[in-house]
Amino acid sequence: MVEKNLNKFFESFLQKEPLFINKKSLQSNYTPNNVPHRKEQIDLVAGILAPALRSDKPSNIFIYGKTGTGKSLTVTHVCENLNQIAEKNKIPVKFIFLNCKLKRVADTEYRLIAQLIRELGQDVPATGLPTEEIYKIFVNIVEKMDQLLIIVLDEIDQLVKKIGDELLYNLTRLNAELKESQISIIGISNDLLFTDQLDPRVKSSLSEEEIVFPPYNALQLQSILRQRAKLAFKNETLAEGVIEKCAAYAAREHGDARRALELLRVAGEIAERKNLTVIAISHIDEAEDKIERDRILDITTTQPKQFKLALYSMLTVCEKNNHKIFTGEVYESYRDNCARCAVQPLTQRRLSDIIAEFDMLGIINAKTISKGRYGRTREISLAIPLSLVPKVKTLLQESLNL
DNA sequence: CGAGATTCATGTGAAGTATACCTTTAGGCTTAA
DNA sequence: AAGCCTAAAGGTATACTTCACATGAATCTCGTA
């Protein structure tokens, strides 16, 4: 019986007219053929990278701008074009794109270099080698390739905040050891004040050129959305005002185009699931909820065990007394929870660091306050909507066998 | 009453430890001449 | 004797612990008005 229903479901799914023609064009990793409203920046980047075509080392570039202002997009766009020309004319240039934020992929010096090597097609152990050795391997490979290497490091501000700027110093100095090849670095940062924290030496060599990406305004967002929507949807799938609303929502969030596109895509998916042929304005509100929800669920469920336990404890304590909570309370609850699922509890010192990491992830808000005579602590409050707390809690519970 | 000293609970930095993994090396075993 | 395999030795990165000191405003203390 069940099978039959399922069959029917799939049958009708196939017969259903899809809302999307090409969903890809709304996904965040999509690079359109032209990048609107970024002409100036594209020209700048292109101008700086152009010497690569004559096998001269382009200047290092530093790019700032809030999330979703088209930084990564612009860089990939320019790089792809340059790559095509380079290939056509047999000019040896290679790009590597790397996001430094990815946990356990590129969040330490060693891992970042190791990842670069992997991108170049050689495998290296995840641990065990001296960091210096990793550098040597990297230099060797690059040298053997005998070509210009352009490394794009997305969100380096996150990485530097965590492990310091020595890495960047080492990277910029690598050119001194290279005879046949050269390396250029393009650093992308969401934090506009980022370079202030850098060692002056690093700063001067890394930001030979600086480009600032201003946020899109609502009108620009609208035109971007229209352009992509034309590719993604069939005609007349969008109700009046949908684009405008998406743009307005995103403009409110410092002109984040990525968010605008995501809103539109998710709104489309919602409408499709409801068997509707038109995307209505109300779907955008639903989409906003869903995106936030998915983001939080994704972050919380992919954490390592101890992090999950810590988070679970914070949620529990927060729920019990819905005012601000403190590190000590969390640690107590955490220890209980560890006992319940037979996990060796970490020290409070470590938990303190874990709490700080959740703060960075935006799952909680924590600030250190002094309660005078009653000591100093972190004041923690949840940054996830209350409606989501039970759901997150049950998910954590399941995965922890609590 | 007010200036300074005290106090608390925990933040935070540095150094040490455990673990998992790496390469190197020495020894033992096998094999072929 | 040469070649191959294995296990021990010696090394590293990372996650965590231990130790020790730093913080900073509410509270306490005590001299003074």
Side-chain angles (χ1 to χ4, degrees), chain A residues 91-281:
Chain A
I91 301 162
V93 182
K94 170 135 180 102
F95 292 95
I96 301 183
F97 217 89
L98 195 55
N99 189 326
C100 304
K101 207 177 62 179
L102 299 174
K103 203 166 183 174
R104 293 178 180 278
V105 173
D107 59 352
T108 69
E109 182 171 14
Y110 180 95
R111 295 215 258 242
L112 186 119
I113 304 295
Q115 188 59 32
L116 286 176
I117 293 174
R118 270 179 224 121
E119 295 279 334
L120 292 173
Q122 202 174 98
D123 205 34
V124 282
T127 168
L129 262 52
T131 307
E132 212 176 310
E133 193 64 27
I134 277 285
Y135 270 106
K136 265 188 213 152
I137 296 173
F138 181 63
V139 167
N140 276 338
I141 295 177
V142 175
E143 193 76 327
K144 225 182 278 165
M145 289 189 337
D146 186 14
Q147 64 180 343
L148 204 57
L149 186 64
I150 299 181
I151 304 175
V152 184
L153 299 175
D154 206 347
E155 314 203 33
I156 20 179
D157 47 329
Q158 303 270 338
L159 185 60
V160 171
K161 252 176 221 150
K162 207 165 164 187
I163 61 165
D165 53 12
E166 209 171 310
L167 157 80
L168 292 177
Y169 182 65
N170 289 337
L171 267 180
T172 51
R173 267 180 22 134
L174 234 44
N175 274 323
E177 292 182 38
L178 291 164
K179 294 215 173 63
E180 307 297 328
S181 307
Q182 289 283 289
I183 301 176
S184 284
I185 299 167
I186 302 180
I188 301 181
S189 158
N190 294 325
D191 184 352
L192 300 167
L193 302 170
F194 171 61
T195 42
D196 294 352
Q197 313 158 25
L198 288 177
D199 186 305
R201 287 173 306 178
V202 176
K203 187 176 172 177
S204 67
S205 67
L206 186 63
S207 45
E208 290 168 348
E209 303 277 353
E210 295 191 16
I211 303 178
V212 179
F213 279 59
Y216 296 112
N217 63 35
L219 284 177
Q220 292 170 328
L221 284 171
Q222 281 182 27
S223 87
I224 293 170
L225 284 168
R226 288 221 172 77
Q227 181 205 337
R228 301 273 193 112
K230 211 190 276 175
L231 294 171
F233 298 112
K234 290 195 303 192
N235 280 340
E236 330 233 323
T237 8
L238 293 174
E240 193 75 16
V242 166
I243 297 257
E244 285 75 6
K245 176 138 188 186
C246 273
Y249 264 27
R252 200 180 54 194
E253 301 257 338
H254 56 254
D256 186 341
R258 183 184 317 175
R259 194 171 173 77
L261 291 166
E262 201 180 7
L263 271 173
L264 193 58
R265 174 173 59 84
V266 175
E269 285 168 4
I270 289 173
E272 194 170 53
R273 207 160 300 158
K274 287 183 177 168
N275 282 328
L276 301 174
T277 49
V278 175
I279 300 172
I281 290 184

